[in-house]
Amino acid sequence: MKRIFLISIMLACVSLMQAAITKADADALYEKGNYEEAAAAYESLLKVEGLAAEVYYNLGNCYYKLDKIPFAVLNYERALLLDPGDGDIRANLALARGKTVDKVVPPSEMFFVTWWRDLTNCMSMDSWTIVGFSAFILMLIGILVYRFVPQLLARKIGFYSAMFLFALVIIANFAAFSQHRDLTHRNTAVILAPSVVVKSSPSDRSTDLFLIHEGSKVEILDNSMKEWMEVKFEEGKQGWIPVNVAEII
């Protein structure tokens, strides 16, 4: 009983030490060049305080400095998922992906698909929510102006403003919903193993299709099996890989 009590006290102390770590402490370690310790501190912050784009971004910077490129890519991707409109995250992710072995050229897509993705990702989900709510309130004001103000010019302004704001409400809601779906149904992962042989079926005896290297991003098509998952790569190829060689973004 005494040993169990001592172990419980030690675990409680460890938890208190983790909780005592602040972002300022982690930032100070990073500024001093103690990247291993800073990375551990940021990891602790994520466990204690929950997901935060800025913490994932700083953690990605630590791994980039440590030349652990796949982990840098993973954390930049997680930061971008939370804050897709941040230009610094995108820039550092591009730098990290530039140091990976596989240089991927994504397949071409329709211009309106690219336009819509760029539009929805220009702000975070919270920002789109604020835009949508604000536009809805202003739309109601425009409707009231159109309905009750006698001046013709004011009524025209109210009508056309309400129409524009109605469209903005729809766009903001769809953009926020799209980002919420990406956050709750995470179906992408980053390869962390140095290299992986992609198989034609979920078996070691199946045909080797091609080789993929660390830092590559994949879309998960089927993860219903315990040891294998079917994935699709950004250039369009797909196959099966072991579950333990990749981590979900």
Side-chain angles (χ1 to χ4, degrees), residues 11 16 20-21 42 102 112 116 139 162 195 206 215 219 231:
L11 291 174
L16 288 172
I21 296 174
Y42 288 128
D102 300 316
F112 59 85
W116 174 250
M139 181 189 72
S195 61
S206 61
E219 177 187 354
V231 296

Side-chain angles (χ1 to χ4, degrees), residues 167-178:
L168 185 56
V169 168
I170 292 175
I171 292 172
N173 277 276
F174 271 107
F177 172 78
S178 176

Side-chain angles (χ1 to χ4, degrees), residues 95-117:
L95 284 174
R97 296 190 72 176
K99 297 186 73 172
T100 59
V101 175
D102 300 316
K103 302 298 185 282
V104 176
V105 179
S108 59
E109 57 187 10
M110 299 297 291
F111 76 93
F112 59 85
V113 175
T114 303
W115 176 84
W116 174 250
R117 185 176 61 251

Side-chain angles (χ1 to χ4, degrees), residues 218-236:
V218 298
E219 177 187 354
I220 301 171
L221 302 177
D222 184 355
N223 64 347
S224 59
M225 302 187 69
K226 184 178 180 180
E227 297 181 355
W228 293 85
M229 61 181 175
E230 186 180 17
V231 296
K232 181 179 180 180
F233 298 88
E234 289 178 287
E235 68 270 29

Side-chain angles (χ1 to χ4, degrees), residues 13 78 97 142 162 170 176 179 191 194 202 205-207 212 229 242:
C13 290
R78 285 173 172 171
R97 296 190 72 176
I170 292 175
Q179 291 189 20
I191 303 296
R205 298 180 180 179
S206 61
T207 305
I212 197 76
M229 61 181 175

Side-chain angles (χ1 to χ4, degrees), residues 34-84:
N34 300 328
Y35 301 124
E36 288 279 5
E37 295 177 31
Y42 288 128
E43 294 277 11
S44 297
L45 279 173
L46 289 168
K47 292 177 182 177
V48 173
E49 299 183 3
L51 308 183
E54 188 176 3
V55 177
Y56 275 128
Y57 172 70
N58 291 346
L59 182 57
N61 288 339
C62 289
Y63 284 125
Y64 186 86
K65 292 289 187 180
L66 293 167
D67 204 32
K68 296 181 179 180
I69 301 304
F71 292 94
V73 171
L74 175 64
N75 285 283
Y76 287 145
E77 289 280 6
R78 285 173 172 171
L80 195 63
L81 194 62
L82 294 168
D83 190 2

Side-chain angles (χ1 to χ4, degrees), residues 109-129:
E109 57 187 10
M110 299 297 291
F111 76 93
F112 59 85
V113 175
T114 303
W115 176 84
W116 174 250
R117 185 176 61 251
D118 291 342
L119 176 64
T120 56
N121 290 336
C122 71
M123 290 189 292
S124 66
M125 181 179 66
D126 291 340
S127 298
W128 275 119
T129 302

